[in-house]
Amino acid sequence: MSGGHDTIDVLVPTCNRPAALAVTLATLGSQSWPRLRIVVSDQSERAGACEQPEVAAVLRYLRATGRSVDTYRRLPRRGMAEQRAFLLAQARAAVCLFVDDDVILEPDLVARLHGVLRAEGCGFVGSALHGLSHLGQLRPAQEAVEFWNGPVRPETVRTGSAAWARHHLHSAANLFHVQTRLATGDAVNRRYKVAWVGGCVMFDTGMLRAAGGFDFWRELPSQHCGEDVLAQQRVMARYGGCAILPSGAYHMELPTTVTVRAVDAPYVLPLEPDGPDPMQQERLPQDGLPRDRLPQDRLPQGRRSGTLE
């Protein structure tokens, strides 16, 4: 392949966000990695996003500059897990990058993620999203970061565990504040431990599939959230996963398109897909919420609420 660069499949789920999708696709078009195959699965309820002028213009630009783009219009909606399962089924490359439709990527981010994934040989590497509307709102209690001091290893992170609290680092502009304080000339691509990463995650495609991918969509109602969290937890338990600092991904902070969130995948499905997990067997009570979790704590990662709280 040209320049020794392998093709990377970029998988983009979208729904009712043509303007945001156009911005995300444009930042993919500016990536320094030359060989990207972009796959868009559109579940917009009215006019298709890819038919809107702003998206159509970017698609023309991508194709004219040598990027491969496949677009799909997929209705009815069966939930985000099924949407991601469909996208994963389209992947042909050894590496795939899931990017949400409201993310701005720095031009070297795909190359950096790929370099870390291959160097570590782990299941995924993520770039957590900065919510810059919260810039300057310092939250020291949420800014703890645990760096990997050696190779990234498999790690089991369960809901409610001490490691689960790592998600606070990815709220608001916490990570941006941390990386700004730690900025030095040799601080590029520092690996750190995560509970999960939202919005921009590169996987070893084979490892994601071996861990079950998003096939659990059949076990969930169509209205659910947390599907990306559960898939990452399963990959991390088998193969390891991390995120990088500095990040290089920014959240547009738009209102969520997943508005019914009572069923949260990592709380209702086992971490081990092949058998029951006694630590995860508490099912939803009649009110639809885990008994040990308050409604206002259902959105630990701000991209879900659109406000990166």
Side-chain angles (χ1 to χ4, degrees):
M1 292 186 177
S2 175
H5 291 91
D6 297 333
T7 297
I8 296 173
D9 286 335
V10 183
L11 310 177
V12 185
T14 190
C15 180
N16 299 331
R17 285 176 171 170
L21 175 64
V23 173
T24 296
L25 293 175
T27 65
L28 287 170
S30 70
Q31 291 300 303
S32 61
W33 192 269
R35 297 184 66 88
L36 298 181
R37 171 177 168 260
I38 301 168
V39 183
V40 178
S41 181
D42 177 23
Q43 294 190 320
S44 299
E45 295 165 348
R46 293 173 286 279
C50 295
E51 300 170 5
Q52 300 307 302
E54 60 267 47
V55 178
V58 178
L59 293 177
R60 290 194 294 270
Y61 153 69
L62 290 170
R63 289 167 175 145
T65 54
R67 313 287 192 179
S68 172
V69 185
D70 296 332
T71 63
Y72 296 88
R73 184 91 161 94
R74 296 194 68 251
L75 292 172
R77 297 169 65 181
R78 297 182 177 89
M80 278 304 303
E82 191 274 342
Q83 168 83 312
R84 293 185 188 276
F86 171 81
L87 282 164
L88 181 57
Q90 311 315 306
R92 301 196 293 260
V95 171
C96 63
L97 173 66
F98 273 91
V99 178
D100 285 358
D101 63 357
D102 57 349
V103 178
I104 299 169
L105 290 78
E106 292 181 355
D108 65 344
L109 182 55
V110 170
R112 290 201 291 124
L113 289 169
H114 184 271
V116 173
L117 187 71
R118 285 307 182 219
E120 294 294 343
C122 58
F124 72 81
V125 179
S127 186
L129 310 186
H130 300 307
L132 295 185
S133 70
H134 299 272
L135 198 62
Q137 298 176 16
L138 301 180
R139 306 177 182 184
Q142 297 183 359
E143 294 181 0
V145 58
E146 302 174 68
F147 290 107
W148 284 98
N149 294 319
V152 175
R153 299 298 187 193
E155 187 180 18
T156 299
V157 176
R158 301 183 186 276
T159 56
S161 67
W164 184 256
R166 295 170 183 165
H167 70 74
H168 292 297
L169 178 63
H170 295 165
S171 295
N174 295 339
L175 183 64
F176 191 87
H177 297 144
V178 170
Q179 71 182 39
T180 299
R181 286 200 307 271
L182 297 179
T184 63
D186 59 355
V188 178
N189 297 337
R190 294 190 69 181
R191 289 76 150 154
Y192 66 91
K193 299 180 181 182
V194 298
W196 73 87
V197 185
C200 183
V201 183
M202 182 175 286
F203 292 92
D204 180 293
T205 306
M207 291 181 183
L208 176 56
R209 286 175 172 153
F214 299 91
D215 290 345
F216 55 80
W217 71 266
R218 297 177 179 86
E219 304 172 56
L220 295 169
S222 60
Q223 302 277 10
H224 62 261
C225 64
E227 78 294 331
D228 51 345
V229 177
L230 181 59
Q232 288 177 47
Q233 287 180 309
R234 290 180 172 182
V235 171
M236 188 159 50
R238 288 192 179 195
Y239 306 110
C242 68
I244 56 172
L245 185 155
S247 165
Y250 302 83
H251 190 224
M252 296 185 204
E253 303 183 66
L254 303 176
T256 182
T257 58
V258 180
T259 56
V260 180
R261 322 183 65 83
V263 177
D264 196 341
Y267 280 83
V268 300
L269 295 179
L271 179 57
E272 291 81 5
D274 297 326
D277 180 347
M279 295 186 67
Q280 294 279 52
Q281 289 304 295
E282 181 184 18
R283 296 308 189 191
L284 295 178
Q286 293 302 311
D287 60 5
L289 297 175
R291 299 190 189 282
D292 62 345
R293 201 177 189 200
L294 296 177
Q296 61 266 31
D297 192 37
R298 291 197 59 77
L299 306 175
Q301 191 139 356
R303 70 180 182 87
R304 299 185 176 283
S305 66
T307 56
L308 279 171
E309 296 173 351

